């Protein structure tokens, strides 16, 4: 029974189609090949908003030295801003929000996610980057907000 539930959850996760990212920068941080990767993510459901996500990617020498071949840290930072006229698409307006982007940080069990939450009282989009693990949550989060101009059309 547990396997069927896990399989259904994995299938549902594959069916979600969050935004894709475009790498815009890569900063070498040490001699072991560790890098900070910077990616641009355009919100697929909110035209005119772009987020820049930075995260740590372990190099080959670091993986070899530490014996942890299959995962990267959950650390990330995010900044989002209006990059054109904002048009709200069919977005989830619930308190839980919805995934805008996600990328695997290990072979199976860890993902880096960007979630969008709509704050209707303040007419603001809240973007949160965080790590998600199967067995443990992560306290490593980063947040950015984008105010929505009053004249913004809603689809």
């Amino acid at each position: 029974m547990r396997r069927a539930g896990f399989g259904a959850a994995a299938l549902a996760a594959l069916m979600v189609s969050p935004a894709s990212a475009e790498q815009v920068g890569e900063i070498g941080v040490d001699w072991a090949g560790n890098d900070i990767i910077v990616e641009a993510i355009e919100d697929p459901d909110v035209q005119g908003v772009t987020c820049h996500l930075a995260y740590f990617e372990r190099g080959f020498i670091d993986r070899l030295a530490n014996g942890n071949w299959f995962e990267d840290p959950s650390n990330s930072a995010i900044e989002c801003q209006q990059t054109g006229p904002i048009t709200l698409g069919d977005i989830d307006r619930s308190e839980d929000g919805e995934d805008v982007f996600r990328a695997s940080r290990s072979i199976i069990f860890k993902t880096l996610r960007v979630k969008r939450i709509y704050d209707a009282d303040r007419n603001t989009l809240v973007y949160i980057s965080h790590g998600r693990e199967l067995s443990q949550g992560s306290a490593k989060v980063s947040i950015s907000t984008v105010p929505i101009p009053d004249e913004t059309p809603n689809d």
Side-chain angles (χ1 to χ4, degrees), residues 77-138:
I78 191 167
E79 180 62 35
C80 303
Q81 63 181 347
Q82 180 177 354
T83 53
I86 294 179
T87 303
L88 295 180
D90 183 22
I91 65 171
D92 184 335
R93 295 173 186 252
S94 73
E95 194 173 279
D96 293 337
E98 64 186 311
D99 281 350
V100 173
F101 172 79
R102 73 170 169 244
S104 179
R105 302 303 289 150
S106 71
I107 285 186
I108 299 173
F109 300 115
K110 186 192 285 189
T111 57
L112 174 62
R113 294 184 178 209
V114 173
K115 250 187 133 90
R116 176 196 340 98
I117 296 173
Y118 177 65
D119 180 350
D121 292 343
R122 290 157 196 85
N123 205 26
T124 300
L125 297 169
V126 180
Y127 292 87
I128 301 164
S129 67
H130 67 97
R132 180 172 173 142
E133 299 180 36
L134 183 64
S135 61
Q136 297 176 336
S138 175

Side-chain angles (χ1 to χ4, degrees), residues 24-48:
V24 297
E26 182 174 335
I27 302 165
V29 296
D30 60 24
W31 63 270
N34 295 316
D35 296 323
I36 295 172
I37 306 298
V38 180
E39 295 179 333
I41 303 164
E42 293 184 5
D43 190 324
D45 296 323
V46 180
Q47 185 178 358

